[in-house]
């Protein structure tokens, strides 16, 4: 095993929403990957998850990337831009250029870098006509950047299993525990590391919901999740505004 340290960088996708430990903190795919790598690497393995929900690409680059570079890890996962494509201020050319620059910096420092083409989350959300082309643009740029810099690409978009609602939480935007396990399995597979086969099992699709029940669920979702999200966008706020950047410290990880 060549990785003795791993730093995860990004937003809520990497922080682990909504896959909770018993104490209420979040686990997510990155913790699962780190635990598996530590099992092979032994007690010398070190890990840090710097990701924070709601962070846009510029936030991730300014707060987390310098911290990751100071720790000089063997492996870095970098997933950012998902929050940007949902905002009116999205500037695709600027983001694509900076994405390439950041990955180049991480690779130049000697780390192996894991990148992601995002799953098709918009299939179950409103605004698909506006947002889907942005996601496609970002995914295309991620693939090109990975090839250009020799990064490890995990292509979630190519996996139709993510169209299964069982892989998503009740807010329809973040992964469920089953979704995080699947991402972890795909990351480990891309790294050439074995994983628990159950993580990659395809959960059965739920039975079709009667029309009235489905509309009732849509209204409940809109009130509990969509309306607060719109309010935050209108007021320029984010779900992670009260969360300070995490300390750039690589810590031991026990299974």
């Amino acid at each position: 095993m060549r990785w003795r340290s791993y730093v995860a960088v990004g937003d809520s996708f990497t922080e682990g929403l909504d896959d909770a430990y018993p104490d209420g903190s979040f686990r997510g795919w990155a913790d699962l990957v780190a635990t598996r790598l530590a099992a092979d690497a032994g007690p010398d393995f070190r890990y840090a998850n710097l990701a924070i929900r709601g962070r846009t690409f510029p936030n991730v680059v300014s707060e987390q990337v310098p911290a990751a570079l100071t720790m000089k890890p063997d492996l870095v996962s970098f997933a950012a831009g998902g929050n940007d494509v949902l905002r009116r201020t999205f500037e695709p050319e600027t983001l694509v250029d900076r994405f390439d620059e950041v990955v180049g910096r991480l690779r130049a420092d000697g780390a192996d870098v894991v990148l992601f083409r995002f799953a098709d989350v918009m299939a179950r959300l409103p605004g698909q006509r506006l947002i889907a082309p942005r996601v496609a643009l970002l995914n295309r740029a991620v693939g090109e950047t990975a090839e250009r810099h020799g990064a490890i690409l995990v292509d979630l978009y190519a996996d139709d299993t993510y169209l299964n609602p069982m892989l998503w939480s009740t807010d329809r935007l973040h992964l469920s525990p089953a979704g995080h396990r699947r991402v972890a399995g795909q990351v480990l597979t891309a790294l050439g590391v074995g994983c628990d086969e159950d993580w990659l099992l395809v959960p059965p699709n739920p039975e079709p919901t009667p029309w009235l029940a489905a509309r009732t669920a849509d209204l409940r979702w809109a009130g509990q999740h969509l309306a607060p999200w719109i309010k935050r966008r209108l007021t320029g706020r984010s779900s992670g505004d009260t969360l300070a950047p995490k300390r750039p410290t690589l810590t031991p990880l026990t299974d």
Side-chain angles (χ1 to χ4, degrees):
M1 177 61 63
R2 63 179 180 273
W3 300 290
R4 296 286 179 178
S5 55
Y6 166 40
V7 175
V9 173
D11 51 30
S12 58
F13 167 72
T14 302
E15 185 184 359
L17 274 70
D18 288 306
D19 180 22
Y21 285 110
D23 65 1
S25 62
F26 294 115
R27 177 179 57 180
W29 64 264
D31 279 20
L32 292 169
V33 168
T35 300
R36 178 64 184 86
L37 296 179
D40 282 350
D44 292 334
F45 186 82
R46 298 294 184 270
Y47 168 58
N49 189 334
L50 305 180
I52 297 178
R53 73 203 72 167
R55 291 305 200 251
T56 61
F57 185 88
N59 297 144
V60 172
V61 171
S62 63
E63 295 174 2
Q64 299 175 30
V65 170
L69 290 171
T70 63
M71 290 185 278
K72 298 187 180 300
D74 299 326
L75 180 67
V76 178
S77 62
F78 179 73
N83 288 315
D84 300 76
V85 300
L86 298 175
R87 283 166 166 76
R88 292 178 300 168
T89 55
F90 178 61
E91 297 180 356
E93 293 183 1
T94 300
L95 190 148
V96 168
D97 289 344
R98 294 197 67 191
F99 195 99
D100 185 86
E101 174 190 346
V102 169
V103 174
R105 286 168 57 192
L106 293 170
R107 290 287 290 141
D109 212 46
D112 287 326
V113 178
V114 177
L115 303 178
F116 298 86
R117 296 183 76 224
F118 293 110
D120 187 10
V121 65
M122 293 308 300
R124 301 176 61 242
L125 294 174
Q128 183 173 8
R129 182 175 298 180
L130 173 64
I131 304 301
R134 296 179 175 185
V135 175
L137 183 150
L138 178 58
N139 278 342
R140 183 168 59 251
V142 170
E144 293 171 351
T145 299
E147 183 175 0
R148 185 157 44 245
H149 294 285
I152 300 161
L153 179 65
V154 179
D155 192 351
L156 305 181
Y157 189 82
D159 185 359
D160 288 342
T161 305
Y162 288 99
L163 297 176
N164 186 332
M166 298 301 294
L167 295 183
W168 301 94
S169 69
T170 55
D171 70 2
R172 306 183 183 181
L173 184 63
H174 297 103
L175 292 167
S176 67
H180 281 287
R181 288 195 300 271
R182 186 167 184 83
V183 172
Q186 289 172 297
V187 171
L188 290 168
T189 298
L191 293 174
V193 179
C195 70
D196 189 324
E197 292 182 359
D198 289 345
W199 293 358
L200 293 172
L201 289 178
V202 179
N205 276 291
E207 293 294 326
T209 305
W211 185 89
L212 182 58
R215 300 296 76 74
T216 301
D218 288 343
L219 289 173
R220 187 184 306 114
W221 169 79
Q224 293 178 351
H225 301 288
L226 181 60
W229 183 86
I230 292 175
K231 182 178 180 180
R232 288 196 299 271
R233 296 291 80 74
L234 292 175
T235 56
R237 295 169 52 229
S238 165
S239 59
D241 283 348
T242 60
L243 302 177
K246 299 176 182 178
R247 293 180 59 188
T249 304
L250 282 166
T251 58
L253 188 67
T254 57
D255 193 355

